[in-house]
Amino acid sequence: MAGIEHIQVEPDEAGMRLDRWFKIHYPGLGFGPLQKLLRSGQIRVDGGRVKADARVQPGQMVRVPPLDVDAKAKAGPIASRDLKHSGDGELLSRMVLHEDEKVIVLNKPAGLAVQGGSGVNRHIDKMLEAWTNQRGEKPRLVHRLDRDTSGVLVIARTRGAAQKLTAAFRERDTKKTYWSLVKGVPRKREDRISTWLVKEATPDGDRMRTAKHGEEGADHAISYYRIVETAAHRFAWLEMEPYTGRTHQLRVHALHIGHPIIGDPKYFIDDPNWDFPGGVQKRLHLHARHIDIPHPSGGRLRVTAPLPPHMVQTWNLLGFDENAAGSFDEE
């Protein structure tokens, strides 16, 4: 059992309920024991007693009394601070959603690259070296997520598993479901988006744009979406499914229908008549929520990833209920 800890609230946790904050940092601490610690004053914020529904703010210090090992087990969404101050093996372990002898499924934090590139010092592919086995075999990536996108990332433990999983993605025998928050509300409750996409170089790096059929280098892209909930006429929570797997596909398709994803640094064009709402961070609101994929050993693997802290904050602010999208167990 460790001693008393004082943990500073991070910017991406602004406005989060205290009980939700504890669920992220101490997922093994049940609601009953948390309430008991709050009532007895053992948990305090900036030295004062608080209740479970108190909202924390960046810079505040949360006093955490000694907890048993199970309560401290790290899991769930990872705050920005942890990306800087955790070792590769520890950080990867905290991302694990599913693990067996063939497959590992991670909940990738927003802001962490999957592979290296210019200006990228830390990325998943390099971090996986920490999990090299005794035969010298390093776990392998079988698909990608954009750096700013959080959520489900499938890793193969062996060469054989990698071949089967890669084939499943190539043959589209997978179902990937994303959650996004977009500007405005699409006219149709659900729809299919079909365009051609091409990559173009810009002063801010490569960017995808819609293209004409037959344009050199253009690839066909198909996505589906449905509206889960809306906040007035300002925002819509979309459940999105990419049928094809083009670079930035969902981000460009959201822009194509006139409803770009909130906080997208490449495709959310600033509108002088639209104010960015207070309490919503200017970070990409796109999360790989669920994957349904054939397991290399047979059967299917279905995994769901909890939202990252900045999207939890926004969902709380807008009053969205995570259960409103329905359960993936029914599929």
Side-chain angles (χ1 to χ4, degrees):
M1 221 182 252
I4 293 170
E5 293 183 282
H6 289 87
I7 301 177
Q8 188 172 41
V9 177
E10 292 288 311
D12 60 4
E13 297 167 341
M16 192 178 289
R17 278 176 56 122
L18 186 61
D19 52 4
R20 178 73 70 145
W21 186 92
F22 267 92
K23 189 70 180 168
I24 287 173
H25 290 269
Y26 301 94
L29 180 63
F31 184 72
L34 172 63
Q35 290 287 61
K36 191 174 178 182
L37 292 169
L38 287 165
R39 280 197 304 269
S40 62
Q42 294 184 69
I43 290 173
R44 293 175 178 246
V45 175
D46 283 352
R49 288 177 178 248
V50 282
K51 294 184 177 178
D53 61 356
R55 303 271 178 183
V56 296
Q57 298 302 331
Q60 287 184 323
M61 299 300 294
V62 182
R63 178 195 189 274
V64 183
L67 301 172
D68 63 42
V69 174
D70 289 342
K72 285 198 64 174
K74 292 289 191 178
I78 292 170
S80 306
R81 167 189 60 243
D82 302 316
L83 294 181
K84 302 170 194 159
H85 302 303
S86 301
D88 288 352
E90 178 199 349
L91 195 57
L92 286 170
S93 295
R94 289 182 53 192
M95 293 181 208
V96 173
L97 295 169
H98 168 89
E99 188 174 12
D100 59 46
E101 73 282 354
K102 299 281 182 71
V103 184
I104 303 165
V105 183
L106 304 179
N107 183 12
K108 186 190 85 66
L112 180 62
V114 172
Q115 288 185 297
S118 59
V120 175
N121 298 319
R122 193 179 204 189
H123 54 87
I124 298 276
D125 195 29
K126 175 76 173 163
M127 292 167 68
L128 287 170
E129 291 175 5
W131 281 353
T132 300
N133 64 21
Q134 291 175 330
R135 297 192 300 276
E137 199 170 36
K138 174 189 133 186
R140 296 168 167 81
L141 297 169
V142 292
H143 69 126
R144 314 283 181 264
L145 285 179
D146 295 343
R147 180 177 186 159
D148 294 322
T149 303
S150 58
V152 176
L153 184 69
V154 179
I155 310 288
R157 267 217 151 104
T158 65
R159 184 189 301 275
Q163 289 171 341
K164 289 183 179 179
L165 290 167
T166 301
F169 279 102
R170 187 175 60 245
E171 293 158 16
R172 301 191 183 123
D173 188 17
T174 62
K175 185 175 182 182
K176 292 181 283 184
T177 306
Y178 289 73
W179 282 4
S180 67
L181 183 72
V182 301
K183 175 186 170 187
V185 178
R187 189 171 51 83
K188 295 183 179 179
R189 296 292 304 176
E190 53 185 77
D191 203 5
R192 173 181 184 269
I193 306 167
S194 173
T195 70
W196 291 80
L197 299 180
V198 70
K199 184 183 290 186
E200 63 178 2
T202 74
D204 298 324
D206 288 344
R207 190 175 185 273
M208 303 299 289
R209 65 168 173 81
T210 53
K212 291 188 174 67
H213 183 196
E215 191 170 328
E216 187 179 352
D219 291 311
H220 193 208
I222 298 171
S223 306
Y224 298 88
Y225 78 83
R226 74 179 179 94
I227 298 173
V228 181
E229 283 194 34
T230 62
H233 294 292
R234 299 198 72 199
F235 302 104
W237 162 12
L238 302 187
E239 189 169 85
M240 306 183 78
E241 289 180 15
Y243 176 71
T244 50
R246 312 303 180 200
T247 302
H248 298 175
Q249 176 175 319
L250 295 179
R251 297 162 67 179
V252 182
H253 274 174
L255 176 65
H256 176 70
I257 63 170
H259 301 281
I261 297 174
I262 297 296
D264 191 330
K266 281 186 183 285
Y267 303 103
F268 189 96
I269 312 302
D270 285 334
D271 179 348
N273 299 317
W274 196 82
D275 293 324
F276 210 87
V280 175
Q281 294 184 48
K282 285 192 176 183
R283 301 183 68 184
L284 181 68
H285 283 62
L286 179 63
H287 176 67
R289 175 66 172 178
H290 183 81
I291 197 160
D292 178 336
I293 187 170
H295 192 284
S297 299
R300 294 192 74 85
L301 178 63
R302 297 179 177 90
V303 183
T304 301
L307 289 171
H310 72 281
M311 289 180 69
V312 169
Q313 180 186 335
T314 302
W315 260 232
N316 285 341
L317 186 77
L318 300 178
F320 288 160
D321 176 4
E322 286 185 37
N323 298 317
S327 170
F328 292 103
D329 297 336
E330 300 161 7
E331 294 172 4

